[in-house]
Amino acid sequence: MRYGWTTGACATAATTAAYTALLTGEFPDPVEVLLPKDRRPAFALATERLEPGRATAGVIKDAGDDPDVTHGALVLATVSPGEPGSGVTFRAGEGVGTVTLPGLPLAVGEPAINPVPRRLMTEAVRRVAAEHGGTGDVVVEISIPDGEEIARQTWNPRLGIVGGLSILGTTGVVVPYSCSAWIDSIRRGVDVARALGHRHVAGATGSTSEHVVAELYGLPETALLDMGDFAGAVLKYLKRHPVPRLTLGGGFAKFSKLAAGHLDLHSKRSQVDLRLLASLVPEPLASSIASANTALHALELAQAAGVPLGDLVAERARAVAAEVLAGAPIEVDVVVVDRAGTIVGRAG
């Protein structure tokens, strides 16, 4: 299936083109961007507008074969000079949301432009500035026409992101979802690991947790299973085709779902149960967690209170995994990380 590009990658391409035009008077088209893992895709521009003191470029999001609600959306970046020494300042334009509740990786009042896309755009601005003699002090406004309407099909309103969509992505790449193909790749991964004689394999929910687990245990690439949201697929296949040791790595929210007994961790098929998280801690913290905005918010509340909620979730997730593996000669441990890759919980 064909891969696509995140809104963050599209915003980075649009920002690169707009700032280049602001400095040179010409829009690069196509415009190449640098993404994590040294990916260098080129994007065609759908919109170019150069005005006194500002430039706007737009890219149509191509989500590949993934059924992404933002597929086909126009992602616009308008770049204008900022105050000297200010660096890159981000603003939410039409169709891009604003954070209104705690528990997200952005402060309340900030545009809903996630940390990795912010970093990618900031790095792009620096490269353009170095190449064309700019200062790098700019205001970047990201807009998505019809974004507020599209956002009603997402979790943004429930999360307190008002006014539109979020600019997302950690790798810049949208991986197309074919459940059967993904599960088949998990099975083949187990087969290869066993054939190579690996006695320790790891399944991770994403690239950040996979990197943490691989570094933690010195695991080779062939011992890493691309688990994604399919924890059940990993556990059920390993039960029939065991290896001596399994490490499960993932984000706090994903593993909060596993701790509740969900084996499919996709947001469309399972949700974090804040009442379960509240049941793991004493009062008055329990009441605060039960009314938290997100799983991250719950974790932050627990950390502030000195309660190891990450460890408690890891232990419960480990118990769920052990129940699925019942009878198989496999030792399981669980590593829970936050968005920055910091370990916030372990069990086993």
Side-chain angles (χ1 to χ4, degrees), residues 37-226:
K37 298 186 178 180
D38 202 33
R39 291 188 174 96
R40 297 175 182 268
F43 294 79
L45 297 184
T47 298
E48 301 175 7
R49 187 166 63 251
L50 185 58
E51 304 167 283
R54 57 192 280 147
T56 300
V59 170
I60 299 291
K61 176 175 174 177
D62 178 2
D65 288 329
D66 192 70
D68 190 317
V69 295
T70 58
H71 177 71
L74 175 62
V75 181
L76 296 167
T78 298
V79 179
S80 56
E83 294 294 325
S86 62
V88 179
T89 301
F90 292 100
R91 290 182 181 167
E94 175 193 359
V96 171
T98 298
V99 177
T100 66
L101 294 175
L104 296 168
L106 298 166
V108 170
E110 282 290 309
I113 303 171
N114 270 22
V116 171
R118 287 182 184 230
R119 175 172 59 80
L120 293 176
M121 282 183 270
T122 299
E123 291 171 353
V125 165
R126 289 172 181 162
R127 284 192 293 272
V128 172
E131 184 176 352
H132 299 293
T135 65
D137 299 320
V138 296
V139 176
V140 177
E141 180 178 290
I142 305 299
S143 307
I144 302 178
D146 300 321
E148 188 166 9
E149 179 65 29
I150 298 171
R152 294 193 178 100
Q153 303 174 57
T154 73
W155 288 102
N156 277 17
R158 182 176 294 185
L159 297 175
I161 298 173
V162 301
L165 292 162
S166 301
I167 304 300
L168 302 172
T170 56
T171 64
V173 178
V174 175
V175 179
Y177 250 93
S178 165
C179 294
S180 59
W182 197 309
I183 291 170
D184 188 60
S185 71
I186 289 171
R187 293 169 177 170
R188 300 297 77 77
V190 172
D191 293 343
V192 168
R194 282 166 50 89
L196 292 173
H198 292 317
R199 298 180 60 79
H200 184 183
V201 298
T205 59
S207 58
T208 299
S209 52
E210 181 178 87
H211 177 75
V212 170
V213 169
E215 288 287 313
L216 188 64
Y217 295 117
L219 294 175
E221 187 173 8
T222 49
L224 303 176
L225 310 174
D226 192 6

Side-chain angles (χ1 to χ4, degrees), residues 243-288:
V243 294
R245 185 173 177 192
L246 168 66
T247 297
L248 296 176
F252 179 77
K254 295 282 189 184
F255 275 16
S256 294
K257 298 178 186 181
L258 181 59
H262 298 292
L263 300 181
D264 185 337
L265 310 181
H266 194 277
S267 60
K268 290 183 179 179
R269 295 181 285 274
S270 60
Q271 298 300 316
V272 173
D273 187 349
L274 291 169
R275 293 172 300 178
L276 171 69
L277 296 181
S279 73
L280 302 178
V281 301
E283 291 287 4
L285 179 59
S287 296
S288 298

